[in-house]
Amino acid sequence: MSHAVTFNHNKYRPFTPVSKPDRRWPDQAITTAPDWCSVDLRDGNQALVEPMNAQQKLRLWDLLLSVGFKQIEVGFPSASSHDFAFLRQLIEEDRIPEDVTVQVLTQARADLIGRTFEALKGVRRAVVHFYNSTSTVQRRDVFKLDREGIKRIAVEGARLVKAEAAQHPETEWVFEYSPESFTGTELDFAVEVCDAVNSVLEPTPENPVIINLPATVEMSTPNVYADQIEWFCDHVTHREAIKISLHTHNDRGCAVAAAELGVMAGADRIEGTLMGNGERTGNMDIITMAMNLYSQGVDPKLDFGRMDEVIAVTRECTQLPVHPRHPYAGELVFTAFSGSHQDAINKCLARRSPDEPWDVAYLPIDPADIGRNYQEVIRINSQSGKGGVAYVLQRDYGLELPRWLQVDFSAAVQGLAESSESEVGSEAIYQLFTDTYLNSRNGWSLGNYQLQREGEVDALTVTLHHGGKELTATGRGNGVVDAFVDAMESVINTRVVLVEYSEHTLGQSADAEAVCYIQLNIDGERPCGVGRSNDIVHASLAAILSALDGSGIAMTKAA
């Protein structure tokens, strides 16, 4: 394989790690959920090929409320007339619940800040999130300013939002500042800028300021980001009066990991979107992070119990598909096609008590917790094995196949899956089972039978039908099964050994249908058979005949 001439790793430099021998975050564990802020309606919306219309925004807003978000960034009203109108609709139609805070974004510019407060007029409580970029490359190539010039922009922005807020004392104001492109900013300068902003805003523990430290572009491994967060927390002034917020992007595919490690490093708050929608490779996926906490026994403070509804609304509003392997939300994330995986899941589910902690192989959480059912867990294709087939038949048809019958039947399913070159559905599996064991393949069927007890021995007379002809056979033995085997030996003139026997009912009532499973040994071969009837004796005889009928060679002697 030849590479394009422009594919040259030498043009890139490794990210400089943080020198921090005193790091503490690796020993921390997340035991409580952070404050969540959904930015679906702002950061997510601005990244869409077709931004949401008013109806879609309202639909997504209602979904976010139902999931349990208490902070929702609703737009950039100073830069978008649509965002301005949507925010006004929320306020004027009283759509913001008492315990929910709206957040808006604005650059640290006088004209934009004024317009932002105009959009927020009459709101009960709001977060005003202002920002300016502080990174080395932005200072050098975009703004062409030195550190002091960039810091002046931030400080002036702080003065403006504080002054505007003072003119509207009827609203409870919360200020949020982001040194945008934090991950590309020298740590000492990030602290210097944020300290300068807070010297204007004057936060207190009772009225803290939110300092948001975004990975606007993901530039390093998540552990380096965690070092940056811990270093910042250790050096910023008045840490007790600051809520540290994180807004991670997914350029390296590690946004969730970076956010989790950032919380371990001291962050209090997380901004992200449902399903990770956002610019380039997207934002941090709040569903994944929240469900990760849930899987560790931590209350995420968000309810994804109706995951399919969350997916449907999000997909409808964003016009973006959901990958079938998307963590927790994807169609196939709880599905096992592999035979060994299916067998392990089946065994774990069979032995599990509802009262014990969840501990099932290959399933990090119970699919039922997010509204999924076990029909989605085990599905059959050419990679599947006996355990998966048995699970499907038990789940959908109540058939409890013993292991030896699972082995026998799995070969037939494998053949069907390989010939179809696709997934095999539950109905097709059951039809194959019926054709293999319950429908006579060579034309034999069971007629009337009579059983008599003669001392210690049972005597059986049974009628068999084949090709319009009738055959009567007699046998003696210890029980009806043994007597029927004896009768069939005389018919086919071959030694028959009963190797395995298993039976169960398909219901709780006295007249519930019984199912019987049989494995025989005939000339070294081990044919299996199944019988079902409201009469357990009839089911047992039918199972033996099924095994003999399926053996083919043995039954031709009687034909």
Side-chain angles (χ1 to χ4, degrees):
M1 175 180 176
S2 62
H3 291 290
V5 293
T6 57
F7 192 79
N8 180 10
H9 67 279
N10 291 310
K11 71 166 72 172
Y12 302 102
R13 291 169 295 179
F15 192 86
T16 303
V18 180
S19 177
K20 200 175 191 308
D22 64 336
R23 62 179 56 86
R24 304 175 304 282
W25 64 262
D27 296 324
Q28 304 305 308
I30 304 176
T31 57
T32 58
D35 295 338
W36 302 107
C37 179
S38 160
V39 296
D40 292 85
L41 290 164
R42 198 276 306 172
D43 202 352
N45 186 50
Q46 76 178 31
L48 297 174
V49 176
E50 295 182 12
M52 287 178 271
N53 59 36
Q55 184 178 2
Q56 290 169 324
K57 284 183 178 180
L58 282 176
R59 183 98 191 267
L60 189 54
W61 166 262
D62 289 339
L63 174 70
L64 295 171
L65 294 180
S66 70
V67 167
F69 283 98
K70 301 305 179 186
Q71 298 179 46
I72 302 173
E73 190 169 84
V74 294
F76 201 140
S78 61
S80 165
S81 60
H82 294 290
D83 286 2
F84 189 101
F86 177 65
L87 177 55
R88 293 311 307 160
Q89 182 180 10
L90 294 180
I91 296 170
E92 293 168 6
E93 295 181 3
D94 197 23
R95 289 178 176 268
I96 306 171
E98 192 76 15
D99 61 346
V100 173
T101 302
V102 291
Q103 175 173 307
V104 293
L105 185 70
T106 180
Q107 290 178 349
R109 285 171 41 191
D111 57 334
L112 299 181
I113 289 172
R115 180 70 169 162
T116 298
F117 277 86
E118 183 182 343
L120 287 166
K121 185 178 181 179
V123 73
R124 183 191 61 81
R125 188 173 192 266
V127 175
V128 178
H129 180 189
F130 65 103
Y131 73 95
N132 66 303
S133 190
T134 57
S135 71
T136 308
V137 68
Q138 293 259 27
R139 294 198 313 264
R140 183 190 68 218
D141 296 338
V142 179
F143 297 102
K144 302 186 187 305
L145 293 171
D146 60 10
R147 285 190 176 195
E148 285 301 314
I150 293 295
K151 187 167 65 173
R152 279 195 298 272
I153 295 174
V155 170
E156 181 61 19
R159 290 197 184 104
L160 289 169
V161 298
K162 186 177 182 180
E164 285 281 357
Q167 298 180 40
H168 303 280
E170 71 280 3
T171 296
E172 182 183 345
W173 299 107
V174 178
F175 302 125
E176 176 177 353
Y177 171 69
S178 288
E180 197 214 358
S181 300
F182 165 76
T183 47
T185 303
E186 304 91 335
L187 286 174
D188 65 321
F189 182 53
V191 168
E192 182 182 338
V193 172
C194 291
D195 281 347
V197 166
N198 282 335
S199 68
V200 175
L201 298 179
E202 299 179 301
T204 65
E206 295 73 30
N207 295 291
V209 160
I210 299 170
I211 295 295
N212 188 53
L213 303 176
T216 309
V217 176
E218 189 174 31
M219 304 173 71
S220 69
T221 50
N223 61 299
V224 174
Y225 183 66
D227 281 347
Q228 291 175 314
I229 301 306
E230 189 171 80
W231 196 99
F232 185 95
C233 291
D234 288 346
H235 291 83
V236 72
T237 305
H238 301 307
R239 173 68 180 92
E240 75 285 353
I242 298 171
K243 280 188 174 291
I244 298 296
S245 176
L246 307 181
H247 183 120
T248 57
H249 279 253
N250 204 40
D251 300 271
R252 294 169 55 94
C254 300
V256 170
E260 290 181 330
L261 299 192
V263 170
M264 292 165 60
D268 310 295
R269 181 178 184 267
I270 295 294
E271 295 185 351
T273 60
L274 302 178
M275 250 66 89
N277 174 40
E279 294 190 82
R280 302 183 308 282
T281 54
N283 285 286
M284 201 284 301
D285 176 19
I286 288 182
I287 290 178
T288 298
M289 184 170 174
M291 292 305 301
N292 284 352
L293 297 183
Y294 182 84
S295 74
Q296 301 302 302
V298 176
D299 183 359
K301 306 297 184 182
L302 296 173
D303 184 358
F304 291 109
R306 295 172 289 115
M307 186 67 77
D308 287 345
E309 179 182 340
V310 172
I311 294 167
V313 173
T314 304
R315 188 170 53 216
E316 176 187 323
C317 293
T318 64
Q319 302 298 304
L320 292 174
V322 175
H323 195 284
R325 300 293 182 187
H326 193 106
Y328 301 103
E331 177 189 355
L332 297 177
V333 294
F334 298 112
T335 299
F337 288 108
S338 162
S340 60
H341 290 201
Q342 293 172 343
D343 186 55
I345 292 171
N346 194 16
K347 289 174 178 175
C348 289
L349 290 175
R351 64 157 292 278
R352 184 180 176 274
S353 166
D355 301 326
E356 62 186 5
W358 182 259
D359 188 18
V360 175
Y362 301 110
L363 295 179
I365 68 164
D366 184 348
D369 290 352
I370 59 172
R372 301 283 174 84
N373 57 50
Y374 292 112
Q375 292 185 10
E376 293 149 334
V377 172
I378 292 179
R379 289 161 59 174
I380 308 301
N381 65 10
S382 61
Q383 302 300 309
S384 306
K386 55 188 179 298
V389 173
Y391 180 86
V392 169
L393 288 175
Q394 181 176 10
R395 179 193 69 197
D396 296 342
Y397 301 101
L399 299 172
E400 301 172 12
L401 273 61
R403 184 173 179 79
W404 43 268
L405 187 58
Q406 295 176 27
V407 173
D408 188 78
F409 184 49
S410 63
V413 178
Q414 182 84 3
L416 177 61
E418 289 178 351
S419 63
S420 65
E421 297 183 346
S422 63
E423 181 182 348
V424 180
S426 172
E427 292 182 2
I429 292 172
Y430 180 69
Q431 185 60 54
L432 181 63
F433 180 82
T434 300
D435 292 341
T436 302
Y437 300 111
L438 294 172
N439 293 336
S440 174
R441 284 163 288 178
N442 291 297
W444 290 90
S445 62
L446 186 67
N448 295 328
Y449 67 88
Q450 184 176 10
L451 182 66
Q452 291 183 322
R453 187 74 172 174
E454 299 176 356
E456 299 293 321
V457 177
D458 291 293
L460 176 70
T461 302
V462 60
T463 301
L464 304 174
H465 300 283
H466 181 268
K469 297 181 180 180
E470 191 175 281
L471 173 70
T472 300
T474 60
R476 297 166 62 83
N478 184 18
V480 65
V481 170
D482 193 32
F484 188 53
V485 168
D486 180 62
M488 295 311 298
E489 284 182 335
S490 64
V491 171
I492 63 176
N493 195 29
T494 300
R495 172 72 171 156
V496 178
V497 178
L498 178 64
V499 179
E500 298 283 0
Y501 175 93
S502 178
E503 54 89 10
H504 66 85
T505 61
L506 292 175
Q508 303 299 320
S509 64
D511 61 346
E513 195 172 20
V515 182
C516 181
Y517 310 103
I518 291 286
Q519 185 183 63
L520 305 176
N521 186 322
I522 304 174
D523 295 335
E525 299 294 326
R526 291 200 171 190
C528 297
V530 179
R532 58 188 298 171
S533 172
N534 294 101
D535 174 9
I536 185 59
V537 173
H538 188 276
S540 300
L541 302 186
I544 295 171
L545 189 60
S546 166
L548 291 168
D549 185 40
S551 68
I553 296 175
M555 291 300 288
T556 57
K557 297 180 180 180

